[in-house]
Amino acid sequence: MFNKKKEDESDYERTEPNVAASPNVRRRKTSVIGPTLKFRGELSANEDLIIEGEIEGTIAHQDKNLTVGKEGRVKADINARTIEIYGRVEGDIHGEDVVKLAKSADVNGNIYCARIIMEEGARFSGSIDMSQKKKAPSKPTNLPIAESAKQIESAG
Amino acid sequence: MTPRDPVREEPLRDCEPQADEKGSRHPRPLPSIIGSTVVMKGDLIVGEDLVIEGTFDGTITGRGADTVTVRRTARLRGEVSASKVRVEDGTNLENTVLSGRIGRTDR
């Protein structure tokens, strides 16, 4: 019982502070949406992303890793290569490679991925599709948001 | 001034999370970092330090004693309001309205 409790402090607890604190990881490009941050709109990124805050809208993430932390609350469809969920997600999850639901995860939506890891205790409501056909995750280049970025750049 | 790109390589000092070396399970909240490849469009409310290196189109509102740091790689359009706004030298702030205690930073 006690041993089990220690395990409950999942690997996320041990790795998460290091991820953001380590200068090495900063060089590897990791964006952090902190626990007090609330964002409503469109988000796209081409670097690793840790979400501890609240996001509502769309997340188009390209070929990178996305982590929804324990405090993370996401109401959006998510596209990324590797997706780890420790918090709450409402929306479809498209993982090109692996989708991991930790025991603290609470997911309401469908999961499309090649491989899945679901820890005991994870809450999940939806379907899982592991068929090989590509779901063609929306690329930021096809999104209006990418146009907006171009406009801002050209204006600058 | 010598070129010091990429900006990301520089330490973020007071914005860097103060990692607890004893491994405390309750370190101070991590600052938010909007990296250079991130594109966001919408409204954002933040209650901790925020560093923007990427593209943001919309409004950023700080609550509390937070500092919003805008790096020169950032492309902003819209409004940034926070108790402290630090803007790195060389940042393009066309189409941006800043409000709060605004200061310059070279790092």
Side-chain angles (χ1 to χ4, degrees), chain B residues 3-56:
Chain B
R4 291 186 303 169
D5 280 330
V7 174
R8 183 179 293 280
E9 297 290 333
E10 299 169 17
L12 290 172
R13 294 191 186 104
D14 51 340
C15 295
E16 202 69 47
Q18 305 300 307
D20 190 331
E21 292 187 0
K22 287 176 186 164
S24 160
R25 294 188 54 203
H26 300 287
R28 122 179 206 224
L30 304 174
S32 294
I33 300 163
I34 309 297
S36 58
T37 70
V38 176
V39 180
M40 294 171 96
K41 186 177 182 183
D43 299 323
L44 188 155
I45 300 172
V46 65
E48 72 230 332
D49 290 351
L50 169 68
V51 180
I52 304 171
E53 299 173 348
T55 302
F56 193 96

Side-chain angles (χ1 to χ4, degrees), chain B residues 72-84:
Chain B
R72 67 180 153 213
T73 53
R75 297 281 176 272
L76 295 183
R77 183 159 75 176
E79 203 175 322
V80 179
S81 112
S83 58
K84 264 202 273 181

Side-chain angles (χ1 to χ4, degrees), chain A residues 6-139:
Chain A
K6 274 185 182 170
E7 276 175 27
D8 282 349
E9 299 163 12
S10 62
D11 46 14
Y12 169 72
E13 288 274 0
R14 288 194 297 274
T15 57
E16 181 267 341
N18 295 335
V19 164
S22 161
N24 296 332
V25 176
R26 288 285 293 134
R27 287 191 191 101
R28 255 183 41 207
K29 290 195 175 183
T30 301
S31 284
V32 180
I33 304 295
T36 66
L37 192 149
K38 292 181 184 177
F39 175 70
R40 185 176 292 184
E42 302 165 17
L43 186 156
S44 77
N46 192 18
E47 61 190 63
D48 292 352
L49 181 62
I50 299 172
I51 299 172
E52 287 284 3
E54 283 185 37
I55 292 192
E56 199 175 325
T58 61
I59 300 176
H61 207 241
Q62 244 183 354
D63 299 338
K64 300 289 173 183
N65 308 319
L66 185 140
T67 303
V68 178
K70 266 189 180 167
E71 304 298 318
R73 300 281 180 270
V74 174
K75 276 189 191 173
D77 292 346
I78 299 175
N79 295 294
R81 176 186 292 276
T82 305
I83 300 172
E84 290 187 46
I85 313 282
Y86 297 85
R88 189 180 298 167
V89 175
E90 280 181 46
D92 290 351
I93 297 170
H94 298 258
E96 250 175 72
D97 188 8
V98 179
V99 172
K100 175 182 171 181
L101 304 191
K103 58 189 78 177
S104 55
D106 185 351
V107 173
N108 195 342
N110 303 314
I111 297 177
Y112 304 90
C113 60
R115 292 182 292 147
I116 188 157
I117 301 165
M118 199 179 294
E119 287 184 357
E120 186 183 344
R123 295 166 68 97
F124 170 59
S125 170
S127 68
I128 299 173
D129 184 347
M130 299 176 74
S131 59
Q132 286 302 309
K133 62 181 175 196
K134 281 261 176 189
K135 281 288 169 185
S138 51
K139 300 282 183 191

